[in-house]
Amino acid sequence: MDEKDINMQDDRIRALFSGTKVKAGANLKFRIMQQIETESILAGKKSKSKNIMPLIWNMLSVFGVMYGLIAIVAAGVFFTGGKSALESVTFFVPVILITSVCGLFLMISTFDDKRRSKKQPATHH
Protein backbone atom coordinates (compact mmCIF):
# COMPACT_ATOMS: atom_id res chain seq x y z
CA MET A 1 0.00 0.00 0.00
CA ASP A 2 1.24 3.41 -0.76
CA GLU A 3 1.09 6.44 1.47
CA LYS A 4 -2.03 7.88 -0.19
CA ASP A 5 -4.07 4.73 0.57
CA ILE A 6 -2.90 4.72 4.19
CA ASN A 7 -3.88 8.37 4.61
CA MET A 8 -7.33 7.69 3.14
CA GLN A 9 -7.85 4.77 5.52
CA ASP A 10 -6.75 6.92 8.46
CA ASP A 11 -9.23 9.60 7.43
CA ARG A 12 -12.06 7.03 7.21
CA ILE A 13 -11.22 5.59 10.63
CA ARG A 14 -11.11 9.08 12.14
CA ALA A 15 -14.49 9.87 10.58
CA LEU A 16 -15.99 6.68 12.05
CA PHE A 17 -14.62 7.36 15.53
CA SER A 18 -15.53 11.05 15.55
CA GLY A 19 -19.19 10.21 16.01
CA THR A 20 -18.53 8.06 19.09
CA LYS A 21 -16.40 10.65 20.88
CA VAL A 22 -17.90 12.07 24.10
CA LYS A 23 -17.20 15.76 24.43
CA ALA A 24 -16.79 17.51 27.76
CA GLY A 25 -18.91 20.54 28.48
CA ALA A 26 -17.47 23.99 29.01
CA ASN A 27 -18.32 23.85 32.73
CA LEU A 28 -16.38 20.61 33.20
CA LYS A 29 -13.37 21.99 31.32
CA PHE A 30 -13.44 25.13 33.47
CA ARG A 31 -13.62 23.14 36.73
CA ILE A 32 -10.77 20.84 35.68
CA MET A 33 -8.54 23.76 34.73
CA GLN A 34 -9.41 25.55 37.96
CA GLN A 35 -8.48 22.43 39.97
CA ILE A 36 -5.17 22.08 38.12
CA GLU A 37 -4.29 25.73 38.75
CA THR A 38 -5.22 25.47 42.44
CA GLU A 39 -3.11 22.35 42.93
CA SER A 40 -0.12 23.88 41.17
CA ILE A 41 -0.33 27.00 43.35
CA LEU A 42 -0.62 24.95 46.53
CA ALA A 43 2.19 22.61 45.46
CA GLY A 44 4.45 25.59 44.80
CA LYS A 45 3.74 27.06 48.23
CA LYS A 46 4.38 23.74 49.96
CA SER A 47 7.69 23.17 48.23
CA LYS A 48 8.95 26.66 49.08
CA SER A 49 8.06 26.31 52.75
CA LYS A 50 9.67 22.86 52.89
CA ASN A 51 12.90 24.17 51.40
CA ILE A 52 13.34 27.12 53.74
CA MET A 53 12.61 25.39 57.06
CA PRO A 54 15.66 23.07 57.13
CA LEU A 55 17.89 26.04 56.29
CA ILE A 56 16.51 28.11 59.16
CA TRP A 57 16.71 25.15 61.53
CA ASN A 58 20.35 24.50 60.56
CA MET A 59 21.26 28.15 61.03
CA LEU A 60 19.59 28.40 64.43
CA SER A 61 21.17 25.21 65.71
CA VAL A 62 24.69 26.01 64.43
CA PHE A 63 24.59 29.60 65.70
CA GLY A 64 23.15 28.42 69.02
CA VAL A 65 26.02 25.97 69.51
CA MET A 66 28.55 28.58 68.34
CA TYR A 67 27.36 31.27 70.76
CA GLY A 68 27.10 28.71 73.55
CA LEU A 69 30.73 27.67 73.03
CA ILE A 70 31.83 31.31 72.87
CA ALA A 71 29.98 32.01 76.13
CA ILE A 72 31.71 29.04 77.80
CA VAL A 73 35.13 30.22 76.57
CA ALA A 74 34.36 33.79 77.68
CA ALA A 75 33.32 32.62 81.14
CA GLY A 76 36.43 30.46 81.47
CA VAL A 77 38.75 33.26 80.37
CA PHE A 78 36.98 35.80 82.59
CA PHE A 79 37.17 33.65 85.72
CA THR A 80 40.83 32.72 85.16
CA GLY A 81 42.21 36.05 83.90
CA GLY A 82 39.67 38.74 84.72
CA LYS A 83 38.18 41.45 82.54
CA SER A 84 41.49 42.34 80.86
CA ALA A 85 41.87 38.74 79.61
CA LEU A 86 38.73 39.18 77.49
CA GLU A 87 40.65 41.70 75.37
CA SER A 88 43.68 39.48 74.85
CA VAL A 89 44.74 36.83 72.34
CA THR A 90 43.82 34.17 74.91
CA PHE A 91 40.16 34.94 74.21
CA PHE A 92 40.18 35.93 70.52
CA VAL A 93 42.03 32.89 69.12
CA PRO A 94 39.51 30.33 70.45
CA VAL A 95 36.59 32.56 69.42
CA ILE A 96 37.92 32.88 65.86
CA LEU A 97 38.53 29.13 65.72
CA ILE A 98 35.01 28.33 67.00
CA THR A 99 33.44 30.80 64.54
CA SER A 100 35.41 29.39 61.61
CA VAL A 101 34.54 25.78 62.39
CA CYS A 102 30.85 26.57 62.89
CA GLY A 103 30.74 28.60 59.67
CA LEU A 104 32.37 25.78 57.75
CA PHE A 105 29.95 23.27 59.27
CA LEU A 106 26.96 25.47 58.32
CA MET A 107 28.24 25.81 54.75
CA ILE A 108 28.74 22.03 54.38
CA SER A 109 25.35 21.17 55.89
CA THR A 110 23.56 23.69 53.66
CA PHE A 111 25.30 22.30 50.58
CA ASP A 112 24.40 18.76 51.65
CA ASP A 113 20.73 19.68 52.18
CA LYS A 114 20.53 21.23 48.72
CA ARG A 115 22.19 18.18 47.20
CA ARG A 116 19.73 15.86 48.93
CA SER A 117 16.70 17.91 47.94
CA LYS A 118 17.75 17.75 44.27
CA LYS A 119 18.02 13.95 44.44
CA GLN A 120 14.56 13.45 45.99
CA PRO A 121 11.65 13.67 43.59
CA ALA A 122 9.04 16.26 44.42
CA THR A 123 5.94 14.75 45.99
CA HIS A 124 2.57 16.29 45.24
CA HIS A 125 -0.35 15.39 47.49
Side-chain angles (χ1 to χ4, degrees):
M1 291 177 114
D2 65 335
E3 192 173 324
K4 186 177 180 183
D5 291 336
I6 293 173
N7 286 338
M8 287 177 59
Q9 286 179 348
D10 284 345
D11 290 339
R12 281 189 239 149
I13 291 173
R14 283 189 187 128
L16 286 173
F17 281 130
S18 67
T20 60
K21 196 181 335 180
V22 177
K23 297 184 179 183
N27 187 29
L28 178 62
K29 290 179 184 179
F30 174 76
R31 288 184 8 218
I32 290 172
M33 288 305 296
Q34 188 176 22
Q35 181 69 27
I36 290 170
E37 289 173 358
T38 303
E39 286 179 0
S40 67
I41 289 171
L42 291 176
K45 287 182 180 178
K46 287 180 185 176
S47 66
K48 287 180 184 177
S49 65
K50 286 181 183 178
N51 289 340
I52 195 73
M53 286 307 293
L55 177 64
I56 292 173
W57 181 250
N58 281 346
M59 288 175 60
L60 289 176
S61 61
V62 169
F63 287 140
V65 169
M66 181 180 76
Y67 287 122
L69 289 172
I70 290 173
I72 291 170
V73 169
V77 168
F78 178 74
F79 288 126
T80 59
K83 187 177 179 181
S84 62
L86 290 177
E87 298 172 352
S88 69
V89 176
T90 309
F91 176 66
F92 284 112
V93 169
V95 168
I96 291 171
L97 182 64
I98 290 170
T99 307
S100 301
V101 169
C102 289
L104 184 64
F105 180 77
L106 181 62
M107 184 180 67
I108 290 171
S109 64
T110 303
F111 175 74
D112 189 48
D113 285 343
K114 286 187 180 192
R115 184 185 58 83
R116 285 184 187 183
S117 68
K118 286 182 183 177
K119 277 188 175 182
Q120 293 176 351
T123 56
H124 299 285
H125 297 280

